[in-house]
Amino acid sequence: MDLYINGSNRNKNCYTVLKDLKEEKDKLIALSEKNIQYCLGCCRCIDNLENYCVIKDDMQEIYNDMLEADKIIIASPVYMNHITGILKNVIDRLNPFANHGNLKGKKIFLITIGQMSEEENEEIASSIEKYFESISEFMEFKFHFVKNLTSGDIEEVDNVKMAYENYDEIIEEMKNRIETL
Ligand SMILES: Cc1cc2nc3c(=O)[nH]c(=O)nc-3n(C[C@H](O)[C@H](O)[C@H](O)COP(=O)(O)O)c2cc1C
């Protein structure tokens, strides 16, 4: 099973792309539908707790899904030149895994989607890629940036499928990249 995580606050462009990438055996979760509280900063997770964290919320399901998954594929909209707050919150809640190496060797893939063109967002996508690479160093997961997509102008398009004439081809290319890496 591969785990697909929609890091958006809604089920639109990122969700569409992930749905088109995933196979029937895979699981797709939308963070906007989950109850995920902020990290308390208590660092009790260093103690290797049962269920990983003192907070009992939907992160328990996500911890288990992540551990079970062969690969984890995350899609995030670009929000203010970064990933979304809800996705960053999930990453903060991975502190137990950071402390105990639970994600060591796990393949994690990232797709970003912004309203601005691929070219306009090139540097931003590269800074997000660097951010993930930096956390992969101490969490020891294997990180691959898949693609920086555009959804087009929010007023006129806001539909990633319509932003690309060759949308199906792009999905196939991303699928191949995820399969072969
Ligand atoms: C709060 C907010 C901030 C945004 N900031 C950016 C940005 O900095 N750069 C960009 O290209 N798009 C930005 N966007 C547009 C979204 O990235 C874009 O609409 C994306 O396709 C949304 O993905 P979704 O449909 O999966 O939610 C922003 C949207 C919102 C709501």
Side-chain angles (χ1 to χ4, degrees):
M1 180 273 285
D2 292 341
L3 178 67
Y4 287 76
I5 300 178
N6 177 20
S8 177
N9 294 5
R10 58 186 197 162
N11 286 344
K12 238 185 152 188
N13 295 316
C14 289
Y15 195 78
T16 301
V17 168
L18 294 179
K19 243 175 50 190
D20 291 339
L21 285 173
K22 82 178 264 295
E23 316 232 316
E24 219 174 305
K25 65 171 177 54
D26 301 324
K27 182 167 179 180
L28 168 57
I29 57 170
L31 297 185
S32 61
E33 293 168 2
K34 303 289 175 192
N35 166 29
I36 305 171
Q37 295 172 44
Y38 293 115
C39 169
L40 295 171
C42 68
C43 289
R44 282 287 317 283
C45 54
I46 293 171
D47 303 339
N48 211 358
L49 301 171
E50 196 185 328
N51 298 324
Y52 314 107
C53 179
V54 291
I55 308 170
K56 301 294 168 256
D57 61 6
D58 290 339
M59 266 314 285
Q60 306 303 324
E61 175 196 339
I62 294 175
Y63 291 134
N64 289 325
D65 284 345
M66 282 185 154
L67 294 177
E68 247 180 67
D70 298 314
K71 294 177 179 177
I72 300 168
I73 300 96
I74 304 168
S76 177
V78 179
Y79 270 18
M80 301 297 171
N81 290 347
H82 212 298
I83 56 170
T84 58
I86 53 171
L87 179 56
K88 177 61 170 63
N89 187 33
V90 165
I91 294 171
D92 293 346
R93 292 286 305 278
L94 293 180
N95 200 42
F97 286 0
N99 279 295
H100 301 287
N102 308 59
L103 290 181
K104 188 172 179 172
K106 187 79 73 180
K107 287 184 179 170
I108 300 189
F109 297 82
L110 181 73
I111 299 154
T112 56
I113 308 185
Q115 175 194 342
M116 294 203 282
S117 70
E118 286 183 23
E119 292 73 26
E120 284 169 321
N121 265 339
E122 209 175 293
E123 268 185 44
I124 296 306
S126 155
S127 73
I128 295 172
E129 178 177 6
K130 284 201 184 84
Y131 162 66
F132 270 84
E133 269 166 7
S134 72
I135 55 171
S136 77
E137 275 167 28
F138 62 84
M139 292 187 72
E140 297 183 87
F141 58 79
K142 294 204 169 94
F143 176 68
H144 299 284
F145 190 88
V146 181
K147 200 160 172 59
N148 145 41
L149 289 166
T150 181
S151 54
D153 184 271
I154 206 155
E155 298 295 332
E156 290 170 21
V157 187
D158 197 24
N159 179 343
V160 66
K161 279 195 185 204
M162 283 171 67
Y164 290 92
E165 275 176 12
N166 59 341
Y167 175 81
D168 292 342
E169 247 172 64
I170 287 172
I171 290 290
E172 278 314 306
E173 272 170 26
M174 288 198 285
K175 257 190 206 174
N176 287 338
R177 203 163 139 66
I178 292 165
E179 261 166 37
T180 51
L181 278 173

